[in-house]
Amino acid sequence: MLSPVVNVESVRITEYVETMIEGETFTFKAEVKPDDATDRSVVWTSANPEVITITEDGQAVAVEAGTVNIQSYLLGDINGDNFVDINDAAK
């Protein structure tokens, strides 16, 4: 017998930063609800990879000064947002 599919209801970025310095790294984390959702896979994206890059597991690297939106996605429309300011390392 197949188990019933439990859809994701929400995703919230739980570990985040609002400011980074060029060259700094940080790992973003997300909370997926409900806890028993069938597919809890999170996809991370950067609105501007020239300012900050982010890997599949949420590891971000501040590349250059600017402001960027980091998003976590699950199953299409369900997402979380976090804006990050990247400061020039020389300042």
Side-chain angles (χ1 to χ4, degrees):
M1 176 190 255
L2 294 175
S3 299
V5 173
V6 178
N7 293 323
V8 171
E9 295 173 6
S10 67
V11 60
R12 180 175 64 94
I13 299 175
T14 56
E15 291 188 34
Y16 61 91
V17 292
E18 294 179 355
T19 304
M20 294 174 72
I21 297 171
E22 290 175 341
E24 187 176 21
T25 62
F26 182 82
T27 301
F28 288 83
K29 297 196 178 181
E31 175 182 75
V32 177
K33 291 292 182 180
D35 292 336
D36 63 344
T38 302
D39 185 356
R40 300 171 53 80
S41 304
V42 175
V43 176
W44 295 94
T45 63
S46 168
N48 188 346
E50 292 179 7
V51 174
I52 192 170
T53 61
I54 192 160
T55 64
E56 292 177 6
D57 62 353
Q59 178 75 30
V61 177
V63 179
E64 69 177 42
T67 300
V68 67
N69 186 24
I70 298 295
Q71 293 184 315
S72 59
Y73 288 95
L74 286 156
L75 303 175
D77 286 345
I78 300 171
N79 66 60
D81 290 296
N82 184 78
F83 285 90
V84 181
D85 289 318
I86 309 302
N87 295 321
D88 189 327
K91 292 184 180 179

mmCIF file with all atom_site columns, all heavy atoms in Angstrom, residues 12-36:
data_model
loop_
_atom_site.group_PDB
_atom_site.id
_atom_site.type_symbol
_atom_site.label_atom_id
_atom_site.label_alt_id
_atom_site.label_comp_id
_atom_site.label_asym_id
_atom_site.label_entity_id
_atom_site.label_seq_id
_atom_site.pdbx_PDB_ins_code
_atom_site.Cartn_x
_atom_site.Cartn_y
_atom_site.Cartn_z
_atom_site.occupancy
_atom_site.B_iso_or_equiv
_atom_site.pdbx_formal_charge
_atom_site.auth_seq_id
_atom_site.auth_comp_id
_atom_site.auth_asym_id
_atom_site.auth_atom_id
_atom_site.pdbx_PDB_model_num
ATOM 1   N N   . ARG A 1 12 ? 9.974  28.645 5.619  1.00 0.00 ? 12 ARG A N   1
ATOM 2   C CA  . ARG A 1 12 ? 10.407 29.892 6.255  1.00 0.00 ? 12 ARG A CA  1
ATOM 3   C C   . ARG A 1 12 ? 11.919 29.821 6.438  1.00 0.00 ? 12 ARG A C   1
ATOM 4   O O   . ARG A 1 12 ? 12.442 28.825 6.936  1.00 0.00 ? 12 ARG A O   1
ATOM 5   C CB  . ARG A 1 12 ? 9.717  30.034 7.611  1.00 0.00 ? 12 ARG A CB  1
ATOM 6   C CG  . ARG A 1 12 ? 10.068 31.278 8.390  1.00 0.00 ? 12 ARG A CG  1
ATOM 7   C CD  . ARG A 1 12 ? 9.244  31.372 9.668  1.00 0.00 ? 12 ARG A CD  1
ATOM 8   N NE  . ARG A 1 12 ? 9.513  30.305 10.609 1.00 0.00 ? 12 ARG A NE  1
ATOM 9   C CZ  . ARG A 1 12 ? 10.390 30.393 11.613 1.00 0.00 ? 12 ARG A CZ  1
ATOM 10  N NH1 . ARG A 1 12 ? 11.069 31.490 11.808 1.00 0.00 ? 12 ARG A NH1 1
ATOM 11  N NH2 . ARG A 1 12 ? 10.565 29.370 12.429 1.00 0.00 ? 12 ARG A NH2 1
ATOM 12  N N   . ILE A 1 13 ? 12.620 30.864 6.013  1.00 0.00 ? 13 ILE A N   1
ATOM 13  C CA  . ILE A 1 13 ? 14.062 30.918 6.222  1.00 0.00 ? 13 ILE A CA  1
ATOM 14  C C   . ILE A 1 13 ? 14.293 31.177 7.703  1.00 0.00 ? 13 ILE A C   1
ATOM 15  O O   . ILE A 1 13 ? 13.849 32.189 8.238  1.00 0.00 ? 13 ILE A O   1
ATOM 16  C CB  . ILE A 1 13 ? 14.720 31.994 5.340  1.00 0.00 ? 13 ILE A CB  1
ATOM 17  C CG1 . ILE A 1 13 ? 14.482 31.672 3.858  1.00 0.00 ? 13 ILE A CG1 1
ATOM 18  C CG2 . ILE A 1 13 ? 16.213 32.087 5.637  1.00 0.00 ? 13 ILE A CG2 1
ATOM 19  C CD1 . ILE A 1 13 ? 14.989 32.715 2.896  1.00 0.00 ? 13 ILE A CD1 1
ATOM 20  N N   . THR A 1 14 ? 14.972 30.245 8.368  1.00 0.00 ? 14 THR A N   1
ATOM 21  C CA  . THR A 1 14 ? 15.146 30.319 9.821  1.00 0.00 ? 14 THR A CA  1
ATOM 22  C C   . THR A 1 14 ? 16.534 30.779 10.239 1.00 0.00 ? 14 THR A C   1
ATOM 23  O O   . THR A 1 14 ? 16.700 31.321 11.321 1.00 0.00 ? 14 THR A O   1
ATOM 24  C CB  . THR A 1 14 ? 14.869 28.959 10.475 1.00 0.00 ? 14 THR A CB  1
ATOM 25  O OG1 . THR A 1 14 ? 15.719 27.982 9.882  1.00 0.00 ? 14 THR A OG1 1
ATOM 26  C CG2 . THR A 1 14 ? 13.411 28.573 10.298 1.00 0.00 ? 14 THR A CG2 1
ATOM 27  N N   . GLU A 1 15 ? 17.535 30.515 9.433  1.00 0.00 ? 15 GLU A N   1
ATOM 28  C CA  . GLU A 1 15 ? 18.884 31.000 9.714  1.00 0.00 ? 15 GLU A CA  1
ATOM 29  C C   . GLU A 1 15 ? 19.303 31.856 8.540  1.00 0.00 ? 15 GLU A C   1
ATOM 30  O O   . GLU A 1 15 ? 19.399 31.374 7.411  1.00 0.00 ? 15 GLU A O   1
ATOM 31  C CB  . GLU A 1 15 ? 19.844 29.841 9.937  1.00 0.00 ? 15 GLU A CB  1
ATOM 32  C CG  . GLU A 1 15 ? 19.549 29.102 11.228 1.00 0.00 ? 15 GLU A CG  1
ATOM 33  C CD  . GLU A 1 15 ? 20.596 28.065 11.578 1.00 0.00 ? 15 GLU A CD  1
ATOM 34  O OE1 . GLU A 1 15 ? 21.785 28.278 11.280 1.00 0.00 ? 15 GLU A OE1 1
ATOM 35  O OE2 . GLU A 1 15 ? 20.197 27.046 12.161 1.00 0.00 ? 15 GLU A OE2 1
ATOM 36  N N   . TYR A 1 16 ? 19.516 33.149 8.827  1.00 0.00 ? 16 TYR A N   1
ATOM 37  C CA  . TYR A 1 16 ? 19.814 34.099 7.763  1.00 0.00 ? 16 TYR A CA  1
ATOM 38  C C   . TYR A 1 16 ? 20.643 35.250 8.310  1.00 0.00 ? 16 TYR A C   1
ATOM 39  O O   . TYR A 1 16 ? 20.805 35.399 9.520  1.00 0.00 ? 16 TYR A O   1
ATOM 40  C CB  . TYR A 1 16 ? 18.523 34.641 7.145  1.00 0.00 ? 16 TYR A CB  1
ATOM 41  C CG  . TYR A 1 16 ? 17.642 35.373 8.133  1.00 0.00 ? 16 TYR A CG  1
ATOM 42  C CD1 . TYR A 1 16 ? 17.777 36.739 8.326  1.00 0.00 ? 16 TYR A CD1 1
ATOM 43  C CD2 . TYR A 1 16 ? 16.691 34.686 8.882  1.00 0.00 ? 16 TYR A CD2 1
ATOM 44  C CE1 . TYR A 1 16 ? 16.981 37.400 9.247  1.00 0.00 ? 16 TYR A CE1 1
ATOM 45  C CE2 . TYR A 1 16 ? 15.896 35.344 9.794  1.00 0.00 ? 16 TYR A CE2 1
ATOM 46  C CZ  . TYR A 1 16 ? 16.047 36.703 9.973  1.00 0.00 ? 16 TYR A CZ  1
ATOM 47  O OH  . TYR A 1 16 ? 15.262 37.353 10.883 1.00 0.00 ? 16 TYR A OH  1
ATOM 48  N N   . VAL A 1 17 ? 21.185 36.035 7.407  1.00 0.00 ? 17 VAL A N   1
ATOM 49  C CA  . VAL A 1 17 ? 21.895 37.263 7.763  1.00 0.00 ? 17 VAL A CA  1
ATOM 50  C C   . VAL A 1 17 ? 21.300 38.390 6.942  1.00 0.00 ? 17 VAL A C   1
ATOM 51  O O   . VAL A 1 17 ? 20.711 38.164 5.888  1.00 0.00 ? 17 VAL A O   1
ATOM 52  C CB  . VAL A 1 17 ? 23.415 37.173 7.499  1.00 0.00 ? 17 VAL A CB  1
ATOM 53  C CG1 . VAL A 1 17 ? 24.074 36.206 8.437  1.00 0.00 ? 17 VAL A CG1 1
ATOM 54  C CG2 . VAL A 1 17 ? 23.705 36.807 6.059  1.00 0.00 ? 17 VAL A CG2 1
ATOM 55  N N   . GLU A 1 18 ? 21.440 39.604 7.434  1.00 0.00 ? 18 GLU A N   1
ATOM 56  C CA  . GLU A 1 18 ? 20.970 40.770 6.683  1.00 0.00 ? 18 GLU A CA  1
ATOM 57  C C   . GLU A 1 18 ? 22.138 41.534 6.075  1.00 0.00 ? 18 GLU A C   1
ATOM 58  O O   . GLU A 1 18 ? 21.944 42.321 5.152  1.00 0.00 ? 18 GLU A O   1
ATOM 59  C CB  . GLU A 1 18 ? 20.138 41.665 7.587  1.00 0.00 ? 18 GLU A CB  1
ATOM 60  C CG  . GLU A 1 18 ? 18.839 40.986 8.011  1.00 0.00 ? 18 GLU A CG  1
ATOM 61  C CD  . GLU A 1 18 ? 17.991 41.840 8.921  1.00 0.00 ? 18 GLU A CD  1
ATOM 62  O OE1 . GLU A 1 18 ? 18.424 42.940 9.325  1.00 0.00 ? 18 GLU A OE1 1
ATOM 63  O OE2 . GLU A 1 18 ? 16.868 41.398 9.229  1.00 0.00 ? 18 GLU A OE2 1
ATOM 64  N N   . THR A 1 19 ? 23.349 41.307 6.606  1.00 0.00 ? 19 THR A N   1
ATOM 65  C CA  . THR A 1 19 ? 24.529 41.992 6.096  1.00 0.00 ? 19 THR A CA  1
ATOM 66  C C   . THR A 1 19 ? 25.700 41.023 6.048  1.00 0.00 ? 19 THR A C   1
ATOM 67  O O   . THR A 1 19 ? 25.896 40.228 6.968  1.00 0.00 ? 19 THR A O   1
ATOM 68  C CB  . THR A 1 19 ? 24.912 43.178 7.016  1.00 0.00 ? 19 THR A CB  1
ATOM 69  O OG1 . THR A 1 19 ? 23.792 44.048 7.141  1.00 0.00 ? 19 THR A OG1 1
ATOM 70  C CG2 . THR A 1 19 ? 26.084 43.955 6.460  1.00 0.00 ? 19 THR A CG2 1
ATOM 71  N N   . MET A 1 20 ? 26.456 41.078 4.954  1.00 0.00 ? 20 MET A N   1
ATOM 72  C CA  . MET A 1 20 ? 27.678 40.297 4.806  1.00 0.00 ? 20 MET A CA  1
ATOM 73  C C   . MET A 1 20 ? 28.764 41.214 4.259  1.00 0.00 ? 20 MET A C   1
ATOM 74  O O   . MET A 1 20 ? 28.461 42.290 3.734  1.00 0.00 ? 20 MET A O   1
ATOM 75  C CB  . MET A 1 20 ? 27.465 39.107 3.859  1.00 0.00 ? 20 MET A CB  1
ATOM 76  C CG  . MET A 1 20 ? 26.494 38.055 4.372  1.00 0.00 ? 20 MET A CG  1
ATOM 77  S SD  . MET A 1 20 ? 26.134 36.753 3.165  1.00 0.00 ? 20 MET A SD  1
ATOM 78  C CE  . MET A 1 20 ? 27.674 35.834 3.171  1.00 0.00 ? 20 MET A CE  1
ATOM 79  N N   . ILE A 1 21 ? 30.007 40.776 4.339  1.00 0.00 ? 21 ILE A N   1
ATOM 80  C CA  . ILE A 1 21 ? 31.146 41.492 3.775  1.00 0.00 ? 21 ILE A CA  1
ATOM 81  C C   . ILE A 1 21 ? 31.662 40.662 2.603  1.00 0.00 ? 21 ILE A C   1
ATOM 82  O O   . ILE A 1 21 ? 31.644 39.423 2.653  1.00 0.00 ? 21 ILE A O   1
ATOM 83  C CB  . ILE A 1 21 ? 32.244 41.676 4.836  1.00 0.00 ? 21 ILE A CB  1
ATOM 84  C CG1 . ILE A 1 21 ? 31.710 42.540 5.981  1.00 0.00 ? 21 ILE A CG1 1
ATOM 85  C CG2 . ILE A 1 21 ? 33.505 42.299 4.236  1.00 0.00 ? 21 ILE A CG2 1
ATOM 86  C CD1 . ILE A 1 21 ? 32.624 42.621 7.174  1.00 0.00 ? 21 ILE A CD1 1
ATOM 87  N N   . GLU A 1 22 ? 32.144 41.337 1.549  1.00 0.00 ? 22 GLU A N   1
ATOM 88  C CA  . GLU A 1 22 ? 32.685 40.624 0.393  1.00 0.00 ? 22 GLU A CA  1
ATOM 89  C C   . GLU A 1 22 ? 33.624 39.508 0.842  1.00 0.00 ? 22 GLU A C   1
ATOM 90  O O   . GLU A 1 22 ? 34.466 39.714 1.709  1.00 0.00 ? 22 GLU A O   1
ATOM 91  C CB  . GLU A 1 22 ? 33.458 41.585 -0.513 1.00 0.00 ? 22 GLU A CB  1
ATOM 92  C CG  . GLU A 1 22 ? 32.603 42.570 -1.247 1.00 0.00 ? 22 GLU A CG  1
ATOM 93  C CD  . GLU A 1 22 ? 33.448 43.564 -2.042 1.00 0.00 ? 22 GLU A CD  1
ATOM 94  O OE1 . GLU A 1 22 ? 34.653 43.731 -1.765 1.00 0.00 ? 22 GLU A OE1 1
ATOM 95  O OE2 . GLU A 1 22 ? 32.880 44.197 -2.942 1.00 0.00 ? 22 GLU A OE2 1
ATOM 96  N N   . GLY A 1 23 ? 33.453 38.322 0.269  1.00 0.00 ? 23 GLY A N   1
ATOM 97  C CA  . GLY A 1 23 ? 34.294 37.184 0.587  1.00 0.00 ? 23 GLY A CA  1
ATOM 98  C C   . GLY A 1 23 ? 33.777 36.335 1.741  1.00 0.00 ? 23 GLY A C   1
ATOM 99  O O   . GLY A 1 23 ? 34.216 35.202 1.927  1.00 0.00 ? 23 GLY A O   1
ATOM 100 N N   . GLU A 1 24 ? 32.839 36.856 2.512  1.00 0.00 ? 24 GLU A N   1
ATOM 101 C CA  . GLU A 1 24 ? 32.278 36.128 3.647  1.00 0.00 ? 24 GLU A CA  1
ATOM 102 C C   . GLU A 1 24 ? 31.339 35.024 3.165  1.00 0.00 ? 24 GLU A C   1
ATOM 103 O O   . GLU A 1 24 ? 30.716 35.137 2.119  1.00 0.00 ? 24 GLU A O   1
ATOM 104 C CB  . GLU A 1 24 ? 31.520 37.110 4.538  1.00 0.00 ? 24 GLU A CB  1
ATOM 105 C CG  . GLU A 1 24 ? 31.026 36.536 5.835  1.00 0.00 ? 24 GLU A CG  1
ATOM 106 C CD  . GLU A 1 24 ? 30.364 37.588 6.718  1.00 0.00 ? 24 GLU A CD  1
ATOM 107 O OE1 . GLU A 1 24 ? 29.921 38.643 6.215  1.00 0.00 ? 24 GLU A OE1 1
ATOM 108 O OE2 . GLU A 1 24 ? 30.279 37.336 7.915  1.00 0.00 ? 24 GLU A OE2 1
ATOM 109 N N   . THR A 1 25 ? 31.227 33.954 3.962  1.00 0.00 ? 25 THR A N   1
ATOM 110 C CA  . THR A 1 25 ? 30.297 32.866 3.644  1.00 0.00 ? 25 THR A CA  1
ATOM 111 C C   . THR A 1 25 ? 29.297 32.713 4.783  1.00 0.00 ? 25 THR A C   1
ATOM 112 O O   . THR A 1 25 ? 29.566 33.087 5.917  1.00 0.00 ? 25 THR A O   1
ATOM 113 C CB  . THR A 1 25 ? 31.028 31.521 3.442  1.00 0.00 ? 25 THR A CB  1
ATOM 114 O OG1 . THR A 1 25 ? 31.689 31.157 4.646  1.00 0.00 ? 25 THR A OG1 1
ATOM 115 C CG2 . THR A 1 25 ? 32.022 31.605 2.301  1.00 0.00 ? 25 THR A CG2 1
ATOM 116 N N   . PHE A 1 26 ? 28.135 32.161 4.436  1.00 0.00 ? 26 PHE A N   1
ATOM 117 C CA  . PHE A 1 26 ? 27.095 31.900 5.417  1.00 0.00 ? 26 PHE A CA  1
ATOM 118 C C   . PHE A 1 26 ? 26.194 30.802 4.865  1.00 0.00 ? 26 PHE A C   1
ATOM 119 O O   . PHE A 1 26 ? 25.950 30.747 3.659  1.00 0.00 ? 26 PHE A O   1
ATOM 120 C CB  . PHE A 1 26 ? 26.249 33.154 5.682  1.00 0.00 ? 26 PHE A CB  1
ATOM 121 C CG  . PHE A 1 26 ? 25.192 32.943 6.725  1.00 0.00 ? 26 PHE A CG  1
ATOM 122 C CD1 . PHE A 1 26 ? 25.503 33.013 8.059  1.00 0.00 ? 26 PHE A CD1 1
ATOM 123 C CD2 . PHE A 1 26 ? 23.887 32.637 6.361  1.00 0.00 ? 26 PHE A CD2 1
ATOM 124 C CE1 . PHE A 1 26 ? 24.530 32.791 9.034  1.00 0.00 ? 26 PHE A CE1 1
ATOM 125 C CE2 . PHE A 1 26 ? 22.907 32.416 7.311  1.00 0.00 ? 26 PHE A CE2 1
ATOM 126 C CZ  . PHE A 1 26 ? 23.244 32.495 8.662  1.00 0.00 ? 26 PHE A CZ  1
ATOM 127 N N   . THR A 1 27 ? 25.690 29.939 5.738  1.00 0.00 ? 27 THR A N   1
ATOM 128 C CA  . THR A 1 27 ? 24.763 28.894 5.304  1.00 0.00 ? 27 THR A CA  1
ATOM 129 C C   . THR A 1 27 ? 23.354 29.234 5.773  1.00 0.00 ? 27 THR A C   1
ATOM 130 O O   . THR A 1 27 ? 23.088 29.304 6.971  1.00 0.00 ? 27 THR A O   1
ATOM 131 C CB  . THR A 1 27 ? 25.176 27.515 5.847  1.00 0.00 ? 27 THR A CB  1
ATOM 132 O OG1 . THR A 1 27 ? 26.498 27.220 5.384  1.00 0.00 ? 27 THR A OG1 1
ATOM 133 C CG2 . THR A 1 27 ? 24.216 26.437 5.359  1.00 0.00 ? 27 THR A CG2 1
ATOM 134 N N   . PHE A 1 28 ? 22.470 29.486 4.807  1.00 0.00 ? 28 PHE A N   1
ATOM 135 C CA  . PHE A 1 28 ? 21.062 29.744 5.086  1.00 0.00 ? 28 PHE A CA  1
ATOM 136 C C   . PHE A 1 28 ? 20.368 28.422 5.361  1.00 0.00 ? 28 PHE A C   1
ATOM 137 O O   . PHE A 1 28 ? 20.723 27.399 4.791  1.00 0.00 ? 28 PHE A O   1
ATOM 138 C CB  . PHE A 1 28 ? 20.391 30.418 3.883  1.00 0.00 ? 28 PHE A CB  1
ATOM 139 C CG  . PHE A 1 28 ? 20.806 31.836 3.679  1.00 0.00 ? 28 PHE A CG  1
ATOM 140 C CD1 . PHE A 1 28 ? 21.975 32.151 2.996  1.00 0.00 ? 28 PHE A CD1 1
ATOM 141 C CD2 . PHE A 1 28 ? 20.028 32.875 4.164  1.00 0.00 ? 28 PHE A CD2 1
ATOM 142 C CE1 . PHE A 1 28 ? 22.359 33.463 2.809  1.00 0.00 ? 28 PHE A CE1 1
ATOM 143 C CE2 . PHE A 1 28 ? 20.400 34.190 3.984  1.00 0.00 ? 28 PHE A CE2 1
ATOM 144 C CZ  . PHE A 1 28 ? 21.572 34.486 3.305  1.00 0.00 ? 28 PHE A CZ  1
ATOM 145 N N   . LYS A 1 29 ? 19.364 28.447 6.238  1.00 0.00 ? 29 LYS A N   1
ATOM 146 C CA  . LYS A 1 29 ? 18.575 27.250 6.536  1.00 0.00 ? 29 LYS A CA  1
ATOM 147 C C   . LYS A 1 29 ? 17.101 27.608 6.497  1.00 0.00 ? 29 LYS A C   1
ATOM 148 O O   . LYS A 1 29 ? 16.728 28.743 6.770  1.00 0.00 ? 29 LYS A O   1
ATOM 149 C CB  . LYS A 1 29 ? 18.955 26.683 7.897  1.00 0.00 ? 29 LYS A CB  1
ATOM 150 C CG  . LYS A 1 29 ? 20.406 26.241 7.906  1.00 0.00 ? 29 LYS A CG  1
ATOM 151 C CD  . LYS A 1 29 ? 20.732 25.365 9.029  1.00 0.00 ? 29 LYS A CD  1
ATOM 152 C CE  . LYS A 1 29 ? 22.202 24.987 8.852  1.00 0.00 ? 29 LYS A CE  1
ATOM 153 N NZ  . LYS A 1 29 ? 22.710 24.135 9.805  1.00 0.00 ? 29 LYS A NZ  1
ATOM 154 N N   . ALA A 1 30 ? 16.281 26.605 6.177  1.00 0.00 ? 30 ALA A N   1
ATOM 155 C CA  . ALA A 1 30 ? 14.842 26.830 6.075  1.00 0.00 ? 30 ALA A CA  1
ATOM 156 C C   . ALA A 1 30 ? 14.084 25.770 6.849  1.00 0.00 ? 30 ALA A C   1
ATOM 157 O O   . ALA A 1 30 ? 14.544 24.632 7.006  1.00 0.00 ? 30 ALA A O   1
ATOM 158 C CB  . ALA A 1 30 ? 14.404 26.808 4.612  1.00 0.00 ? 30 ALA A CB  1
ATOM 159 N N   . GLU A 1 31 ? 12.912 26.170 7.326  1.00 0.00 ? 31 GLU A N   1
ATOM 160 C CA  . GLU A 1 31 ? 12.002 25.260 8.028  1.00 0.00 ? 31 GLU A CA  1
ATOM 161 C C   . GLU A 1 31 ? 10.831 24.968 7.086  1.00 0.00 ? 31 GLU A C   1
ATOM 162 O O   . GLU A 1 31 ? 10.206 25.885 6.573  1.00 0.00 ? 31 GLU A O   1
ATOM 163 C CB  . GLU A 1 31 ? 11.495 25.937 9.296  1.00 0.00 ? 31 GLU A CB  1
ATOM 164 C CG  . GLU A 1 31 ? 10.464 25.140 10.039 1.00 0.00 ? 31 GLU A CG  1
ATOM 165 C CD  . GLU A 1 31 ? 9.978  25.901 11.255 1.00 0.00 ? 31 GLU A CD  1
ATOM 166 O OE1 . GLU A 1 31 ? 9.195  26.860 11.067 1.00 0.00 ? 31 GLU A OE1 1
ATOM 167 O OE2 . GLU A 1 31 ? 10.387 25.558 12.362 1.00 0.00 ? 31 GLU A OE2 1
ATOM 168 N N   . VAL A 1 32 ? 10.575 23.691 6.882  1.00 0.00 ? 32 VAL A N   1
ATOM 169 C CA  . VAL A 1 32 ? 9.494  23.246 6.002  1.00 0.00 ? 32 VAL A CA  1
ATOM 170 C C   . VAL A 1 32 ? 8.375  22.682 6.866  1.00 0.00 ? 32 VAL A C   1
ATOM 171 O O   . VAL A 1 32 ? 8.620  21.893 7.774  1.00 0.00 ? 32 VAL A O   1
ATOM 172 C CB  . VAL A 1 32 ? 10.005 22.170 5.020  1.00 0.00 ? 32 VAL A CB  1
ATOM 173 C CG1 . VAL A 1 32 ? 8.865  21.662 4.144  1.00 0.00 ? 32 VAL A CG1 1
ATOM 174 C CG2 . VAL A 1 32 ? 11.155 22.702 4.182  1.00 0.00 ? 32 VAL A CG2 1
ATOM 175 N N   . LYS A 1 33 ? 7.156  23.097 6.593  1.00 0.00 ? 33 LYS A N   1
ATOM 176 C CA  . LYS A 1 33 ? 5.994  22.607 7.339  1.00 0.00 ? 33 LYS A CA  1
ATOM 177 C C   . LYS A 1 33 ? 4.986  22.010 6.374  1.00 0.00 ? 33 LYS A C   1
ATOM 178 O O   . LYS A 1 33 ? 4.811  22.524 5.278  1.00 0.00 ? 33 LYS A O   1
ATOM 179 C CB  . LYS A 1 33 ? 5.329  23.745 8.126  1.00 0.00 ? 33 LYS A CB  1
ATOM 180 C CG  . LYS A 1 33 ? 6.174  24.249 9.271  1.00 0.00 ? 33 LYS A CG  1
ATOM 181 C CD  . LYS A 1 33 ? 6.287  23.200 10.342 1.00 0.00 ? 33 LYS A CD  1
ATOM 182 C CE  . LYS A 1 33 ? 7.082  23.673 11.526 1.00 0.00 ? 33 LYS A CE  1
ATOM 183 N NZ  . LYS A 1 33 ? 7.213  22.703 12.553 1.00 0.00 ? 33 LYS A NZ  1
ATOM 184 N N   . PRO A 1 34 ? 4.292  20.976 6.734  1.00 0.00 ? 34 PRO A N   1
ATOM 185 C CA  . PRO A 1 34 ? 4.379  20.248 8.001  1.00 0.00 ? 34 PRO A CA  1
ATOM 186 C C   . PRO A 1 34 ? 5.640  19.378 8.050  1.00 0.00 ? 34 PRO A C   1
ATOM 187 O O   . PRO A 1 34 ? 6.277  19.118 7.033  1.00 0.00 ? 34 PRO A O   1
ATOM 188 C CB  . PRO A 1 34 ? 3.114  19.386 8.006  1.00 0.00 ? 34 PRO A CB  1
ATOM 189 C CG  . PRO A 1 34 ? 2.818  19.140 6.570  1.00 0.00 ? 34 PRO A CG  1
ATOM 190 C CD  . PRO A 1 34 ? 3.260  20.395 5.854  1.00 0.00 ? 34 PRO A CD  1
ATOM 191 N N   . ASP A 1 35 ? 5.962  18.938 9.258  1.00 0.00 ? 35 ASP A N   1
ATOM 192 C CA  . ASP A 1 35 ? 7.161  18.125 9.465  1.00 0.00 ? 35 ASP A CA  1
ATOM 193 C C   . ASP A 1 35 ? 7.131  16.813 8.699  1.00 0.00 ? 35 ASP A C   1
ATOM 194 O O   . ASP A 1 35 ? 8.181  16.262 8.375  1.00 0.00 ? 35 ASP A O   1
ATOM 195 C CB  . ASP A 1 35 ? 7.359  17.834 10.960 1.00 0.00 ? 35 ASP A CB  1
ATOM 196 C CG  . ASP A 1 35 ? 7.722  19.078 11.750 1.00 0.00 ? 35 ASP A CG  1
ATOM 197 O OD1 . ASP A 1 35 ? 8.263  20.041 11.158 1.00 0.00 ? 35 ASP A OD1 1
ATOM 198 O OD2 . ASP A 1 35 ? 7.465  19.091 12.962 1.00 0.00 ? 35 ASP A OD2 1
ATOM 199 N N   . ASP A 1 36 ? 5.948  16.309 8.392  1.00 0.00 ? 36 ASP A N   1
ATOM 200 C CA  . ASP A 1 36 ? 5.830  15.032 7.689  1.00 0.00 ? 36 ASP A CA  1
ATOM 201 C C   . ASP A 1 36 ? 5.576  15.192 6.192  1.00 0.00 ? 36 ASP A C   1
ATOM 202 O O   . ASP A 1 36 ? 5.117  14.254 5.530  1.00 0.00 ? 36 ASP A O   1
ATOM 203 C CB  . ASP A 1 36 ? 4.756  14.161 8.327  1.00 0.00 ? 36 ASP A CB  1
ATOM 204 C CG  . ASP A 1 36 ? 3.360  14.769 8.243  1.00 0.00 ? 36 ASP A CG  1
ATOM 205 O OD1 . ASP A 1 36 ? 3.248  15.982 7.968  1.00 0.00 ? 36 ASP A OD1 1
ATOM 206 O OD2 . ASP A 1 36 ? 2.386  14.029 8.473  1.00 0.00 ? 36 ASP A OD2 1
#
